[in-house]
Amino acid sequence: MKPQNQTAVIEFLLLGFSDLPEQQIPIFLLFLSLYVLNLLGNTTMITLVATDHHLHTPMYFFISNLSFVDMCFSSAIIPQMLTNIFSENKAISYNACMAQLSFFITFAGTEGTLLAVMAYDRYVAI
């Protein structure tokens, strides 16, 4: 019987953007501000569509759903990235990595599907 490789991956190292301490704060602030702007903009869009009765049409329904999926899409990756910028231990477990990847793929597929449905809705409307 041949000996087989018995190694297993139990964690991944997320090396990040920079190991230089003077660059970590600007990178963190840049991504944090973009993430907060993303959340605020999408929350504003969902709130506007929900509160204004003139916007209760199929296209705005799809836009509010797209805003929600976009918030989830960015929330699947960015919080872990922001945590890893300052942490000493830049490892993520295999299970956590696979969970993050599955959420990322799910939200990316949902966003693409919503965009296709919105395009079809515009096509039918014309």
Side-chain angles (χ1 to χ4, degrees):
M1 183 173 202
K2 278 183 160 178
Q4 294 180 352
N5 188 358
Q6 298 295 322
T7 59
V9 175
I10 57 171
E11 65 182 17
F12 295 105
L13 291 178
L14 304 174
L15 298 178
F17 294 100
S18 176
D19 289 333
L20 302 173
E22 64 271 2
Q23 290 181 349
Q24 287 179 343
I25 293 174
I27 289 172
F28 178 82
L29 292 175
L30 172 71
F31 283 108
L32 180 64
S33 62
L34 290 174
Y35 181 60
V36 168
L37 282 173
N38 182 350
L39 293 179
L40 287 174
N42 286 321
T43 304
T44 302
M45 184 66 66
I46 292 169
T47 305
L48 284 174
V49 171
T51 57
D52 190 356
H53 296 292
H54 295 104
L55 301 178
H56 289 184
T57 61
M59 182 52 81
Y60 289 107
F61 172 75
F62 290 134
I63 288 174
S64 64
N65 282 319
L66 187 66
S67 294
F68 176 73
V69 170
D70 189 42
M71 285 187 343
C72 295
F73 184 63
S74 61
S75 295
I77 300 293
I78 294 180
Q80 179 70 38
M81 183 181 68
L82 291 174
T83 303
N84 285 338
I85 289 176
F86 285 121
S87 70
E88 292 294 321
N89 182 15
K90 297 188 183 297
I92 184 172
S93 70
Y94 178 79
N95 291 335
C97 185
M98 290 301 115
Q100 187 176 4
L101 180 65
S102 66
F103 282 122
F104 184 77
I105 290 171
T106 300
F107 292 130
T110 304
E111 191 166 333
T113 304
L114 269 172
L115 288 171
V117 169
M118 289 170 70
Y120 181 73
D121 180 58
R122 284 290 94 191
Y123 173 74
V124 170
I126 295 174

